[in-house]
């Protein structure tokens, strides 16, 4: 596995208010995002803001355009993308059934290939109905969750909604490896026989941070637990 030590991206959480527009864009709308999700993503300060050196993403009960919930989905698409590297994100995850936070990546050429052929890297996913269970996954045309064949691993970690944990991915030409608090959790390798349909991970990908609400995996929403909040303390990327 290759070693990456040169810092090429560090999220700027130094100024209270809106996320840094030179680093992140908001994705806006209620498109159900392929998973029958129930939130409307906004660019409101109520849903995404920096305070005291941390990025806060908040999903709340709020009716907008016939949806019952609002949330935030931030992306570096069009601003920053990377092929290979070490990605470190320190985060505290939301708690409550119906919450579905994710720290993940999609390729810049997603529209050219379509999903899942384009590839998807899930550095961290968590659903509140299964508290403290963290998932690490890859999706491709051959291996994806629709077919039930995606390359995935998961395990429980203590108090992911009460304390900060560091979620790390190391990605090179032949490997994608996931860590929590510097302890390896899963490793996936490119096989000699793999084509683009099995391993589309040799192209630029951008980072996405979001909290989905409900949907095919998030499930029934426990509104007594709202708002759901994910707090990001640090994002650093090395190549």
């Amino acid at each position: 596995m290759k070693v990456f030590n040169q810092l090429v991206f560090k999220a700027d959480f130094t100024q209270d208010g809106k996320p840094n527009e030179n680093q992140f864009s908001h994705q806006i709308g209620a498109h159900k995002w392929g998973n029958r999700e129930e939130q409307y993503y906004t660019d409101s300060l109520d849903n995404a803001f920096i305070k005291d050196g941390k990025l806060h993403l908040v999903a709340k009960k709020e009716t907008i355009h016939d949806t019952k919930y609002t949330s935030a989905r931030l992306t570096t698409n069009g601003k920053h993308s990377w092929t290979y590297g070490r990605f470190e994100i320190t985060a505290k995850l939301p708690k409550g059934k119906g919450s579905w936070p994710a720290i993940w990546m999609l390729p810049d050429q997603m529209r050219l290939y379509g999903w899942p052929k384009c590839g998807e890297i899930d550095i961290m996913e968590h659903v509140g109905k299964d508290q403290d269970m963290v998932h690490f996954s890859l999706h491709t045309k051959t291996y994806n969750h629709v077919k039930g064949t995606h390359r995935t691993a998961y395990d429980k970690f203590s108090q992911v909604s009460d304390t900060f944990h560091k979620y790390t991915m190391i990605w090179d030409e032949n490997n994608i490896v996931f860590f929590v608090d510097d302890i390896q959790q899963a490793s996936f390798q490119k096989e000699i026989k793999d084509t683009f349909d099995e391993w589309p991970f040799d192209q630029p990908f951008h980072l996405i941070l979001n909290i989905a609400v409900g949907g095919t995996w998030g499930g029934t929403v426990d509104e007594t637990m709202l708002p759901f909040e994910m707090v990001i303390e640090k994002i650093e990327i090395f190549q």
Side-chain angles (χ1 to χ4, degrees):
M1 186 168 55
K2 187 174 289 187
V3 175
F4 299 97
N5 288 322
Q6 181 180 353
L7 181 66
V8 295
F9 179 89
K10 182 174 182 177
D12 179 9
F13 302 148
T14 57
Q15 184 171 343
D16 286 1
K18 289 188 174 183
N20 187 328
E21 294 180 352
N22 293 319
Q23 295 185 328
F24 297 99
S25 298
H26 290 270
Q27 291 186 285
I28 297 174
H31 310 300
K32 301 192 182 294
W33 304 95
N35 301 297
R36 290 184 276 176
E37 300 164 26
E38 299 179 54
Q39 77 285 335
Y40 188 100
Y41 288 126
T42 81
D43 60 358
S44 168
L45 275 173
D46 291 336
N47 297 114
F49 59 90
I50 294 170
K51 183 178 180 180
D52 298 330
K54 298 177 180 64
L55 171 65
H56 299 252
L57 302 184
V58 179
K60 56 186 289 190
K61 185 170 174 59
E62 179 182 19
T63 300
I64 181 171
H65 296 289
D66 299 322
T67 64
K68 295 189 294 182
Y69 312 103
T70 59
S71 188
R73 175 165 161 150
L74 299 183
T75 175
T76 66
N77 190 22
K79 299 178 186 291
H80 303 276
S81 58
W82 308 269
T83 306
Y84 315 134
R86 184 171 89 248
F87 300 75
E88 298 184 350
I89 300 93
T90 303
K92 184 165 59 175
L93 309 182
K95 179 182 292 185
K97 292 181 179 179
S99 64
W100 181 359
I103 300 167
W104 55 301
M105 303 184 76
L106 286 173
D108 296 352
Q109 295 295 325
M110 177 183 175
R111 291 186 178 180
L112 176 63
Y113 299 111
W115 190 94
K117 182 173 182 176
C118 65
E120 175 182 323
I121 303 171
D122 298 321
I123 299 172
M124 185 291 305
E125 285 188 286
H126 178 266
V127 284
K129 65 184 180 184
D130 197 2
Q131 181 63 40
D132 294 330
M133 185 71 77
V134 176
H135 298 251
F136 323 92
S137 304
L138 303 179
H139 299 276
T140 69
K141 181 178 180 180
T142 301
Y143 305 113
N144 62 77
H145 75 84
V146 176
K147 295 180 177 180
T149 57
H150 58 305
R151 293 168 168 170
T152 189
Y154 48 87
D155 204 350
K156 286 214 168 188
F157 301 90
S158 176
Q159 299 180 315
V160 300
S161 300
D162 300 306
T163 61
F164 287 94
H165 291 269
K166 182 170 70 173
Y167 302 96
T168 300
M169 175 188 66
I170 297 179
W171 163 32
D172 63 25
E173 292 90 337
N174 297 300
N175 305 274
I176 296 179
V177 186
F178 298 97
F179 303 78
V180 176
D181 297 330
D182 298 319
I183 299 173
Q184 183 173 319
Q185 304 299 325
S187 179
F188 304 101
Q189 289 78 42
K190 182 178 183 179
E191 304 295 339
I192 294 175
K193 62 180 178 56
D194 283 349
T195 69
F196 188 89
D197 288 349
E198 290 78 42
W199 192 269
F201 305 113
D202 298 303
Q203 57 176 319
F205 276 65
H206 54 268
L207 184 66
I208 304 169
L209 313 168
N210 71 286
I211 305 176
V213 179
T216 54
W217 197 22
T220 302
V221 180
D222 180 357
E223 294 189 347
T224 67
M225 297 295 289
L226 289 165
F228 304 138
E229 183 175 38
M230 178 162 62
V231 184
I232 308 291
E233 184 176 58
K234 184 170 67 173
I235 301 174
E236 291 184 339
I237 299 171
F238 302 82
Q239 288 187 319

